[in-house]
Amino acid sequence: MNVRLSYVLGLLSAVAVSSLPLNGVTAQEAVERRVNELLGQMTLEEKVGQLNLVSHGPPLRWEDISEGKAGAVLNFNNAEDVARAQALVQQSRLKIPLLYGLDVLHGFRTQFPLPLGEAAAFNRRISFLASEWAAKEASYVGVNWTFAPMADLSRDSRWGRIVEGFGEDPYLGSVLTAARVEGFRKGGLAAATKHFAGYGAPQGGRDYDTTYIPRAEMYDTYLPSFRAAAEAGSASFMAAFNALNGEPSTANAWLLTDVLRKQWGFDGFVTSDWVGIGELVNHGVAADGAEAARKAILAGVDMDMMGQLYIRHLPDEVRAGRVPESVIDESVRRILRTKMRLGLFEQPAIDPKRTDANFPSKEARQAAREVARETLVLLQNKDDLLPVKSGTRSIAVIGPLADAPQDQMGPHAARGHKEDSVTMLQGIRQRAQSAGITVNHAPACDLMCRSTEQLSAAIEAAKKADLVIAVFGEPQELSGEAASRAYLDLSGKQKEVLEALADTGKPIALVVIGGRPQVLNSLVERIPSILMAWYPGTEGGNAVADVLFGDFNPSGKLPLTWPRATGQLPMYYNRLPSSRPTLPNNRFTLQYIDEAITPLYPFGWGLSYTQFAYSDATIGQKQLDAGQMLDVSVNVTNKGSRAGQEVVQLYTRDPVASRSRPLRQLKAFEKISLNPGETKRVSLRVPVESLGFHLDDGSYVVEAGAIQVFVGGSSLAGQVGEVEIVKTISLPPDERRASASTSVVQ
Ligand code: BGC
């Protein structure tokens, strides 16, 4: 199925299709006819108005809407404003409905975990569920377009926006990005997949800095999740701020036209990011606003977010013959087509009295808790300190983030209210009470942990307790957009506080809150149990308590590599081999002289309260040709005494190829549940057509020869065998490849 068709079919389930005639005319043809009829009635100014995206508050003049000078608006988050705008649309000459855009990333009123945490669930259903809920709440008050998902892969945790994406793996990212697009659509939001492209690899991890990525590497690593979004029916894309190999994404015809439209067949529209078109002047590729507008539209940016440059300059650019009117027409077509597919022309006016006051509902809370607990990653658990033992009588909950209702929602919390949050302290206290355990809380320091005036009270509380649950990490302010960090150590005096707590000799479980791995240094030796909780959202406290007390067995796996030191970054598991693989006693091999070469915790890592054993791996067919599947089956057994979930992961490596290939690459995964003593046989199937690599022109090659196969519970999985590709397969850039499939045999 090509992208266009899957997009239309995908949307048909969500839109008002009653207006689409059926008599021998496909839905797609009917939309195109309607688009062209409408376009034929539009003045040049009205056309350019459709390309204008303005934010609520200044600079939006409400009259712009009735005068046909805005095609979409953003930062609308309540029904009253949407109703007012809709009424103004009715006063405009052509009554073309608006898109109401908002950054609905991980919830609207009910906050779900940030996407990086969500990725740790390694669970398509969970990503779909979270996005569907976010969309249901947002669309209830009239929002119909979200600036999400963020499909930017990143290998560098210094970059604050790593929290908004799915981590470092292109396959995991593709699966989850597609699930998010579909979940948003099911809940009533059109997606704007962002930031196209390469934004997650800025030099030095500095937000807004430049990116150099060879084209083949773009295709192999940075573009697959965007392609997955297009195939899942993302209505739109957002161009990125960064320059890619010297060409700003906002004026990058290769990205926006050659790849997105010609190779992938995408026929929705592209918006710029916030004043991204004007920033072409800062990039030094345009002398002024007029040139910036011209370069952006000619490259394929259809909508100008907040720049007002299209509306100001494009009519003159057309009249002067510098921009053909046909280019404007094509951009307008893309926007009108999208609005029609979304059913906006048929949509009744919204009731302005609708509010989000009744959110979060009981069901939304349940979903938020279900999602959050799947995202928690148990990094270490020495001597099985967790879950909390039955004989425990008192717990000291220490740390400012234990009771930080705003911070646990994380950045980009849309209409999140901190009053809705169940904090870690509340969740733990409530659960402890039911078991007759007393809980004392001491923050130990302020949120940024600059002062330790309150440390002695915390030490006293710790000394009196049977168990210390310390909640530390990254306050929300340190994560997200414009929050690049040069040091990933626990900020302020947190390390000092945790060392002092460890000095008490009390057993400590550390819950880390934050948008990226924190450098833990010697705390790893001093603190037996560490649970990564990301920004767990509204129900975070209940979800964390569920896991700490063993009511839910942790099953999250790291969607990125956790470094030992900031200086190791960028660091990722699917790296190329070195000419000199690490030999511990040979300095002239791959290593640091002042730090280990290995990460602290590898990609795909995460413990459970039970243990899983892998056995009897078999590979179906050992000789593979085009159209066939690499078929691997393995038994997974729960060896412990608790039920649990395991993420079965399949990696491959092409050991000898015409160019150096990664040491391993995730190709399939399946999350399974196992009762104590139970064994399941899991089948993971990978199409041969995804075992190769791209060339710079976007074509794809699977070279004849051996492919090694690894299966296990993390990226350290052991090798289970080898297959042989019998002859080289070449695919053109626009060929859609099937994706992995998995199954579980009881
Ligand atoms: C961000 C986008 C966001 C937009 C609108 C920009 O600063 O880069 O990701 O969607 O603002 O809020």
Side-chain angles (χ1 to χ4, degrees), residues 683-702:
S683 236
L684 301 140
R685 288 188 209 94
V686 182
V688 168
E689 283 76 8
S690 64
L691 294 175
F693 54 89
H694 289 90
L695 305 180
D696 281 345
D697 67 357
S699 58
Y700 193 78
V701 192
V702 188

PDB file of all heavy atoms in Angstrom, residues 683-702:
ATOM      1  N   SER A 683       8.129 -16.011  18.652  1.00  0.00           N
ATOM      2  CA  SER A 683       8.612 -16.012  17.271  1.00  0.00           C
ATOM      3  C   SER A 683       8.808 -14.588  16.808  1.00  0.00           C
ATOM      4  O   SER A 683       7.889 -13.776  16.920  1.00  0.00           O
ATOM      5  CB  SER A 683       7.524 -16.645  16.413  1.00  0.00           C
ATOM      6  OG  SER A 683       8.018 -17.710  15.723  1.00  0.00           O
ATOM      7  N   LEU A 684       9.979 -14.280  16.308  1.00  0.00           N
ATOM      8  CA  LEU A 684      10.250 -12.925  15.821  1.00  0.00           C
ATOM      9  C   LEU A 684      10.629 -13.041  14.350  1.00  0.00           C
ATOM     10  O   LEU A 684      11.543 -13.808  14.015  1.00  0.00           O
ATOM     11  CB  LEU A 684      11.388 -12.295  16.624  1.00  0.00           C
ATOM     12  CG  LEU A 684      11.121 -12.193  18.127  1.00  0.00           C
ATOM     13  CD1 LEU A 684      12.364 -12.511  18.919  1.00  0.00           C
ATOM     14  CD2 LEU A 684      10.600 -10.819  18.501  1.00  0.00           C
ATOM     15  N   ARG A 685       9.911 -12.305  13.512  1.00  0.00           N
ATOM     16  CA  ARG A 685      10.161 -12.422  12.070  1.00  0.00           C
ATOM     17  C   ARG A 685      10.562 -11.077  11.489  1.00  0.00           C
ATOM     18  O   ARG A 685       9.879 -10.084  11.710  1.00  0.00           O
ATOM     19  CB  ARG A 685       8.907 -12.906  11.349  1.00  0.00           C
ATOM     20  CG  ARG A 685       8.615 -14.355  11.632  1.00  0.00           C
ATOM     21  CD  ARG A 685       7.483 -14.881  10.773  1.00  0.00           C
ATOM     22  NE  ARG A 685       6.827 -15.939  11.518  1.00  0.00           N
ATOM     23  CZ  ARG A 685       5.762 -15.748  12.278  1.00  0.00           C
ATOM     24  NH1 ARG A 685       5.203 -14.566  12.355  1.00  0.00           N
ATOM     25  NH2 ARG A 685       5.246 -16.750  12.942  1.00  0.00           N
ATOM     26  N   VAL A 686      11.645 -11.111  10.749  1.00  0.00           N
ATOM     27  CA  VAL A 686      12.179  -9.865  10.180  1.00  0.00           C
ATOM     28  C   VAL A 686      12.282 -10.034   8.673  1.00  0.00           C
ATOM     29  O   VAL A 686      12.917 -10.987   8.203  1.00  0.00           O
ATOM     30  CB  VAL A 686      13.589  -9.584  10.757  1.00  0.00           C
ATOM     31  CG1 VAL A 686      14.137  -8.274  10.221  1.00  0.00           C
ATOM     32  CG2 VAL A 686      13.558  -9.592  12.279  1.00  0.00           C
ATOM     33  N   PRO A 687      11.668  -9.138   7.894  1.00  0.00           N
ATOM     34  CA  PRO A 687      11.773  -9.277   6.436  1.00  0.00           C
ATOM     35  C   PRO A 687      13.230  -9.115   5.987  1.00  0.00           C
ATOM     36  O   PRO A 687      13.938  -8.247   6.503  1.00  0.00           O
ATOM     37  CB  PRO A 687      10.945  -8.098   5.900  1.00  0.00           C
ATOM     38  CG  PRO A 687      10.268  -7.494   7.064  1.00  0.00           C
ATOM     39  CD  PRO A 687      10.916  -7.963   8.308  1.00  0.00           C
ATOM     40  N   VAL A 688      13.636  -9.930   5.066  1.00  0.00           N
ATOM     41  CA  VAL A 688      15.002  -9.834   4.522  1.00  0.00           C
ATOM     42  C   VAL A 688      15.271  -8.409   4.046  1.00  0.00           C
ATOM     43  O   VAL A 688      16.373  -7.881   4.204  1.00  0.00           O
ATOM     44  CB  VAL A 688      15.156 -10.837   3.352  1.00  0.00           C
ATOM     45  CG1 VAL A 688      16.436 -10.579   2.585  1.00  0.00           C
ATOM     46  CG2 VAL A 688      15.147 -12.252   3.886  1.00  0.00           C
ATOM     47  N   GLU A 689      14.224  -7.766   3.538  1.00  0.00           N
ATOM     48  CA  GLU A 689      14.380  -6.412   2.982  1.00  0.00           C
ATOM     49  C   GLU A 689      14.648  -5.351   4.053  1.00  0.00           C
ATOM     50  O   GLU A 689      14.698  -4.165   3.745  1.00  0.00           O
ATOM     51  CB  GLU A 689      13.146  -6.020   2.165  1.00  0.00           C
ATOM     52  CG  GLU A 689      13.091  -6.650   0.782  1.00  0.00           C
ATOM     53  CD  GLU A 689      12.697  -8.124   0.816  1.00  0.00           C
ATOM     54  OE1 GLU A 689      12.323  -8.620   1.903  1.00  0.00           O
ATOM     55  OE2 GLU A 689      12.769  -8.783  -0.237  1.00  0.00           O
ATOM     56  N   SER A 690      14.764  -5.745   5.305  1.00  0.00           N
ATOM     57  CA  SER A 690      15.163  -4.732   6.287  1.00  0.00           C
ATOM     58  C   SER A 690      16.502  -5.101   6.931  1.00  0.00           C
ATOM     59  O   SER A 690      16.858  -4.587   7.974  1.00  0.00           O
ATOM     60  CB  SER A 690      14.069  -4.534   7.341  1.00  0.00           C
ATOM     61  OG  SER A 690      13.903  -5.708   8.074  1.00  0.00           O
ATOM     62  N   LEU A 691      17.256  -5.974   6.274  1.00  0.00           N
ATOM     63  CA  LEU A 691      18.543  -6.394   6.844  1.00  0.00           C
ATOM     64  C   LEU A 691      19.728  -5.695   6.170  1.00  0.00           C
ATOM     65  O   LEU A 691      20.877  -6.065   6.379  1.00  0.00           O
ATOM     66  CB  LEU A 691      18.700  -7.917   6.716  1.00  0.00           C
ATOM     67  CG  LEU A 691      17.705  -8.744   7.554  1.00  0.00           C
ATOM     68  CD1 LEU A 691      17.857 -10.232   7.268  1.00  0.00           C
ATOM     69  CD2 LEU A 691      17.888  -8.470   9.045  1.00  0.00           C
ATOM     70  N   GLY A 692      19.437  -4.686   5.378  1.00  0.00           N
ATOM     71  CA  GLY A 692      20.518  -4.025   4.649  1.00  0.00           C
ATOM     72  C   GLY A 692      20.753  -2.605   5.107  1.00  0.00           C
ATOM     73  O   GLY A 692      20.573  -2.280   6.275  1.00  0.00           O
ATOM     74  N   PHE A 693      21.144  -1.774   4.165  1.00  0.00           N
ATOM     75  CA  PHE A 693      21.459  -0.378   4.496  1.00  0.00           C
ATOM     76  C   PHE A 693      21.230   0.511   3.279  1.00  0.00           C
ATOM     77  O   PHE A 693      21.113   0.022   2.150  1.00  0.00           O
ATOM     78  CB  PHE A 693      22.895  -0.255   4.998  1.00  0.00           C
ATOM     79  CG  PHE A 693      23.922  -0.843   4.059  1.00  0.00           C
ATOM     80  CD1 PHE A 693      24.487  -0.070   3.054  1.00  0.00           C
ATOM     81  CD2 PHE A 693      24.307  -2.179   4.182  1.00  0.00           C
ATOM     82  CE1 PHE A 693      25.427  -0.614   2.188  1.00  0.00           C
ATOM     83  CE2 PHE A 693      25.243  -2.734   3.315  1.00  0.00           C
ATOM     84  CZ  PHE A 693      25.807  -1.950   2.320  1.00  0.00           C
ATOM     85  N   HIS A 694      21.170   1.811   3.544  1.00  0.00           N
ATOM     86  CA  HIS A 694      20.903   2.768   2.471  1.00  0.00           C
ATOM     87  C   HIS A 694      22.193   3.279   1.832  1.00  0.00           C
ATOM     88  O   HIS A 694      23.238   3.329   2.480  1.00  0.00           O
ATOM     89  CB  HIS A 694      20.146   3.976   3.021  1.00  0.00           C
ATOM     90  CG  HIS A 694      18.728   3.678   3.384  1.00  0.00           C
ATOM     91  ND1 HIS A 694      18.359   3.258   4.638  1.00  0.00           N
ATOM     92  CD2 HIS A 694      17.590   3.745   2.637  1.00  0.00           C
ATOM     93  CE1 HIS A 694      17.045   3.083   4.666  1.00  0.00           C
ATOM     94  NE2 HIS A 694      16.549   3.363   3.474  1.00  0.00           N
ATOM     95  N   LEU A 695      22.039   3.701   0.607  1.00  0.00           N
ATOM     96  CA  LEU A 695      23.104   4.457  -0.054  1.00  0.00           C
ATOM     97  C   LEU A 695      22.703   5.929  -0.006  1.00  0.00           C
ATOM     98  O   LEU A 695      21.573   6.263   0.376  1.00  0.00           O
ATOM     99  CB  LEU A 695      23.265   3.985  -1.500  1.00  0.00           C
ATOM    100  CG  LEU A 695      23.507   2.475  -1.660  1.00  0.00           C
ATOM    101  CD1 LEU A 695      23.657   2.112  -3.139  1.00  0.00           C
ATOM    102  CD2 LEU A 695      24.754   2.043  -0.876  1.00  0.00           C
ATOM    103  N   ASP A 696      23.608   6.799  -0.400  1.00  0.00           N
ATOM    104  CA  ASP A 696      23.331   8.234  -0.289  1.00  0.00           C
ATOM    105  C   ASP A 696      22.096   8.687  -1.077  1.00  0.00           C
ATOM    106  O   ASP A 696      21.477   9.692  -0.735  1.00  0.00           O
ATOM    107  CB  ASP A 696      24.546   9.046  -0.767  1.00  0.00           C
ATOM    108  CG  ASP A 696      25.617   9.106   0.318  1.00  0.00           C
ATOM    109  OD1 ASP A 696      25.298   8.789   1.485  1.00  0.00           O
ATOM    110  OD2 ASP A 696      26.764   9.456  -0.007  1.00  0.00           O
ATOM    111  N   ASP A 697      21.734   7.963  -2.147  1.00  0.00           N
ATOM    112  CA  ASP A 697      20.570   8.398  -2.934  1.00  0.00           C
ATOM    113  C   ASP A 697      19.259   7.846  -2.379  1.00  0.00           C
ATOM    114  O   ASP A 697      18.206   8.018  -2.981  1.00  0.00           O
ATOM    115  CB  ASP A 697      20.733   7.981  -4.405  1.00  0.00           C
ATOM    116  CG  ASP A 697      20.695   6.459  -4.584  1.00  0.00           C
ATOM    117  OD1 ASP A 697      20.602   5.725  -3.562  1.00  0.00           O
ATOM    118  OD2 ASP A 697      20.755   6.000  -5.742  1.00  0.00           O
ATOM    119  N   GLY A 698      19.329   7.140  -1.258  1.00  0.00           N
ATOM    120  CA  GLY A 698      18.098   6.633  -0.643  1.00  0.00           C
ATOM    121  C   GLY A 698      17.756   5.220  -1.063  1.00  0.00           C
ATOM    122  O   GLY A 698      16.829   4.619  -0.531  1.00  0.00           O
ATOM    123  N   SER A 699      18.473   4.677  -2.019  1.00  0.00           N
ATOM    124  CA  SER A 699      18.185   3.284  -2.375  1.00  0.00           C
ATOM    125  C   SER A 699      18.741   2.374  -1.283  1.00  0.00           C
ATOM    126  O   SER A 699      19.548   2.798  -0.451  1.00  0.00           O
ATOM    127  CB  SER A 699      18.753   2.938  -3.752  1.00  0.00           C
ATOM    128  OG  SER A 699      20.140   3.159  -3.751  1.00  0.00           O
ATOM    129  N   TYR A 700      18.300   1.134  -1.287  1.00  0.00           N
ATOM    130  CA  TYR A 700      18.561   0.233  -0.160  1.00  0.00           C
ATOM    131  C   TYR A 700      19.170  -1.056  -0.689  1.00  0.00           C
ATOM    132  O   TYR A 700      18.694  -1.602  -1.690  1.00  0.00           O
ATOM    133  CB  TYR A 700      17.238  -0.049   0.534  1.00  0.00           C
ATOM    134  CG  TYR A 700      17.338  -0.696   1.897  1.00  0.00           C
ATOM    135  CD1 TYR A 700      17.674   0.065   3.011  1.00  0.00           C
ATOM    136  CD2 TYR A 700      17.074  -2.050   2.068  1.00  0.00           C
ATOM    137  CE1 TYR A 700      17.742  -0.516   4.278  1.00  0.00           C
ATOM    138  CE2 TYR A 700      17.141  -2.633   3.327  1.00  0.00           C
ATOM    139  CZ  TYR A 700      17.472  -1.859   4.429  1.00  0.00           C
ATOM    140  OH  TYR A 700      17.535  -2.431   5.677  1.00  0.00           O
ATOM    141  N   VAL A 701      20.208  -1.520  -0.028  1.00  0.00           N
ATOM    142  CA  VAL A 701      20.892  -2.728  -0.481  1.00  0.00           C
ATOM    143  C   VAL A 701      20.986  -3.745   0.642  1.00  0.00           C
ATOM    144  O   VAL A 701      21.363  -3.398   1.763  1.00  0.00           O
ATOM    145  CB  VAL A 701      22.358  -2.425  -0.903  1.00  0.00           C
ATOM    146  CG1 VAL A 701      22.954  -3.612  -1.644  1.00  0.00           C
ATOM    147  CG2 VAL A 701      22.448  -1.186  -1.723  1.00  0.00           C
ATOM    148  N   VAL A 702      20.614  -4.966   0.323  1.00  0.00           N
ATOM    149  CA  VAL A 702      20.852  -6.073   1.256  1.00  0.00           C
ATOM    150  C   VAL A 702      21.902  -6.931   0.571  1.00  0.00           C
ATOM    151  O   VAL A 702      21.619  -7.591  -0.433  1.00  0.00           O
ATOM    152  CB  VAL A 702      19.564  -6.897   1.497  1.00  0.00           C
ATOM    153  CG1 VAL A 702      19.791  -7.918   2.609  1.00  0.00           C
ATOM    154  CG2 VAL A 702      18.389  -5.985   1.840  1.00  0.00           C
TER     155      VAL A 702
END
